[in-house]
């Protein structure tokens, strides 16, 4: 053993480890952009990951059907009931629609500039291995105009934010993560503001948390929570999720709501990246590191 | 003392090339499995890197450990180079320990693999969750890190079997027996 520590190969090994540490430190300074080595590996392995993820997702769906057939049956019955209720609402909706057309003409005048610019639809390449907060990788990167800290959405609602971009792929941090804070407001009251921020416990149930609510809030169960747009990171009026539970924080000073995201974050197939929107805050990173 | 005929040298060269191609395929397959689906998965590249390390020279072990580590960094979205440094050190140490003290037995591989996988999972939890003071972060260790470690240990048995088969047919023998020398001449 002593001979080994005095040998040349030990010195070479130390130099190699120092080189790797150098790479690691350099990676820290990249601020959201992948190293060219990682970018190359991502590009080369992209088709394999795409195919294997498709197979895996299909397999998960089949297993899910087998395991949860009872709950799906109950859910199906519940949905049938809801459909009949919705059919009744459609009749009311048609009346409202005619009224809305008039309002729309007025609104069109105000909508001179569309406030959001979307990327092309991005396929989900795969979820980050063993991530408790369901981060995932998409098949569009900087070549599609995607930059770090761009919001990511589906037709159902906000999903998360881009945290790392390489040329052909990007990594998305979801709203389940404690590292992502979204300024939000209740759509029905339009007055109860809070911060949507994940926790370890809520992430286990695929839910997130609306914190810093005033104790006298008017939020009710099943209310829709939307983005307030005040942070400049997310555009205004995008759905986040519905309220599942309301409670008071352990400090007794503020309230919180458990939010079920509108989009099913554990089974995403494709998403849109919002590359620009009105009220967007230009981050230091973006201005400094735009390739 | 190694005694080989030119023909055996050629065969050795072909076998070694073929063996490394198979190693590379296993590494890429493991990476692909790690990036598929949304369920909890073993860190397959840890036992794969160890299987390469126990049968190879220390420098080769370090380089293959670094390669596997970089792939883990991508699959698990960790700081590029973090797992590469860890696996380089683990693989070099394992290769050295096998060279000096241990015999190539399944039990030795199993406990080394379990220990390495645990260290990898534990350090991952420490640096990526506990250090940042997430509320109830210990649940991640119990519900994810320990399960991933267990899956990794279980999968390391299968990986060991695969590598044993490859090595049985394609790994060069260190020394030729007297019978083999006589037969070759």
């Amino acid at each position: 053993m002593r001979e080994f520590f005095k040998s040349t190969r030990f010195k070479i090994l130390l130099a190699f480890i120092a080189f790797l540490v150098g790479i690691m430190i350099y990676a820290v300074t990249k601020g959201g952009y992948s190293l060219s080595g990682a970018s190359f590996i991502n590009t080369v392995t992209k088709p394999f990951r795409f195919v294997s993820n498709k197979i895996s997702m299909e397999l998960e769906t089949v297993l899910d059907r087998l395991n949860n057939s009872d709950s799906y049956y109950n859910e199906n019955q519940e949905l049938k009931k809801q459909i009949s209720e919705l059919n009744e609402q459609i009749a009311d909706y048609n009346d409202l629609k005619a009224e809305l057309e008039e309002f729309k003409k007025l609104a069109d005048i105000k909508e001179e500039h569309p406030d959001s610019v979307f990327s092309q639809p991005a396929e989900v390449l795969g979820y980050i291995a063993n991530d408790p907060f369901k981060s995932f990788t998409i098949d569009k990167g900087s070549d599609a105009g995607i930059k770090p800290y761009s919001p990511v959405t589906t037709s159902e609602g906000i999903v998360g934010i881009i945290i790392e971009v390489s040329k052909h792929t990007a990594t998305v941090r979801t709203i389940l993560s404690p590292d992502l804070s979204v300024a939000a407001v209740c759509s029905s009251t339009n007055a109860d503001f809070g911060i949507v921020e994940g926790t370890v416990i809520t992430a286990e149930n695929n839910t997130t948390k609306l914190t810093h609510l005033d104790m006298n809030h008017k939020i009710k169960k099943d209310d829709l929570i939307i983005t307030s747009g005040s942070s400049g990171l997310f555009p205004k009026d995008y759905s986040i999720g519905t309220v599942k539970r309301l409670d008071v924080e352990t400090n007794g000073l503020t309230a919180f709501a458990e939010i079920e995201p509108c989009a099913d974050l554990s089974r995403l197939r494709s998403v849109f990246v919002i590359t620009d929107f009105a009220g967007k805050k230009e981050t230091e990173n973006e201005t400094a590191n735009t390739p | 003392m190694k005694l080989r005929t030119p023909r055996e040298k050629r065969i050795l060269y072909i076998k070694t090339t073929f063996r490394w191609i198979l190693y590379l395929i296993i590494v890429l397959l493991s990476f692909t499995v790690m990036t598929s689906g949304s369920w909890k998965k073993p860190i397959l590249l840890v036992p794969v890197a160890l299987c390469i390390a126990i049968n190879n020279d220390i420098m080769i072990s370090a380089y293959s450990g670094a390669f596997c580590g970089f792939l883990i960094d991508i699959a698990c979205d960790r700081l590029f180079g973090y797992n590469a440094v860890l696996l380089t050190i683990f693989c070099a140490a394992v290769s050295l320990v096998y060279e000096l003290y241990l015999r190539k037995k399944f039990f030795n591989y199993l406990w080394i693999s379990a220990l390495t996988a645990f260290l990898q999972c534990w350090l991952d939890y420490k640096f990526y969750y506990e250090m940042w003071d997430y509320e109830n972060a210990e649940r991640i260790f119990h519900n994810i890190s320990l399960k991933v470690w267990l899956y990794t240990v279980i999968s390391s048995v299968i990986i060991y079997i695969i590598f044993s088969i490859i090595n049985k047919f394609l790994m060069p023998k260190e020394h030729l027996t007297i019978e083999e020398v006589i037969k070759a001449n």
Side-chain angles (χ1 to χ4, degrees), chain B residues 47-116:
Chain B
V48 167
L50 292 179
C51 273
I52 295 172
I54 60 177
N55 288 302
N56 287 287
D57 167 58
I58 188 165
M59 294 313 292
I60 293 171
S61 306
Y63 298 141
S64 53
F67 181 62
C68 290
F70 279 128
L71 292 180
I72 295 176
D73 288 326
I74 291 170
C76 298
D77 191 37
R78 297 300 183 235
L79 178 64
F80 197 64
Y82 162 73
N83 277 296
V85 171
L86 281 187
L87 274 195
T88 302
I89 295 167
F90 289 156
C91 289
V94 166
S95 178
L96 189 67
V97 165
Y98 264 86
E99 198 177 300
L100 297 175
Y101 304 114
L102 293 178
R103 296 181 67 196
K104 288 173 187 171
K105 295 286 178 192
F106 172 71
F107 182 73
N108 286 335
Y109 162 77
L110 192 67
W111 74 258
I112 279 191
S113 158
L115 180 69
T116 311

Side-chain angles (χ1 to χ4, degrees), chain B residues 6 8 35 125:
Chain B
E8 281 173 331
T35 53
Y125 163 71

Side-chain angles (χ1 to χ4, degrees), chain A residues 6 64-65 72 92-93 185 220:
Chain A
K6 287 179 182 172
D64 185 47
R65 272 186 211 148
Y72 286 141
D92 296 336
Y93 163 79
V185 63
K220 299 185 297 295

Side-chain angles (χ1 to χ4, degrees), chain A residues 1 4 9 12-13 20 24 35 38 41-42 45 49 52-53 56 60 128-130 132 179 200-201 204, chain B residues 32 34-38 40-41 58-59 74-76 79-80 88 96 99 129 134-136 139 143-144 148:
Chain A
M1 182 69 93
F4 170 71
R9 58 180 184 162
I12 294 170
L13 187 65
L20 292 176
M24 203 169 82
L35 292 184
I41 296 170
N42 273 326
T45 57
R49 291 162 73 180
S52 69
N53 190 50
S56 191
E60 276 186 43
I128 299 299
N130 306 315
D179 295 325
V200 172
I201 292 178
E204 286 173 8
Chain B
T32 311
M34 281 179 66
T35 53
S36 306
S38 59
K40 291 183 193 73
K41 286 155 293 211
I58 188 165
M59 294 313 292
I74 291 170
C76 298
L79 178 64
F80 197 64
T88 302
L96 189 67
E99 198 177 300
Y129 301 109
Y134 289 140
E135 206 180 341
N136 305 109
R139 289 175 73 98
N143 296 343
I144 296 178
V148 168

Side-chain angles (χ1 to χ4, degrees), chain A residues 61-70 72:
Chain A
T61 309
V62 171
L63 287 174
D64 185 47
R65 272 186 211 148
L66 290 173
N67 286 336
N68 302 312
S69 54
D70 283 347
Y72 286 141

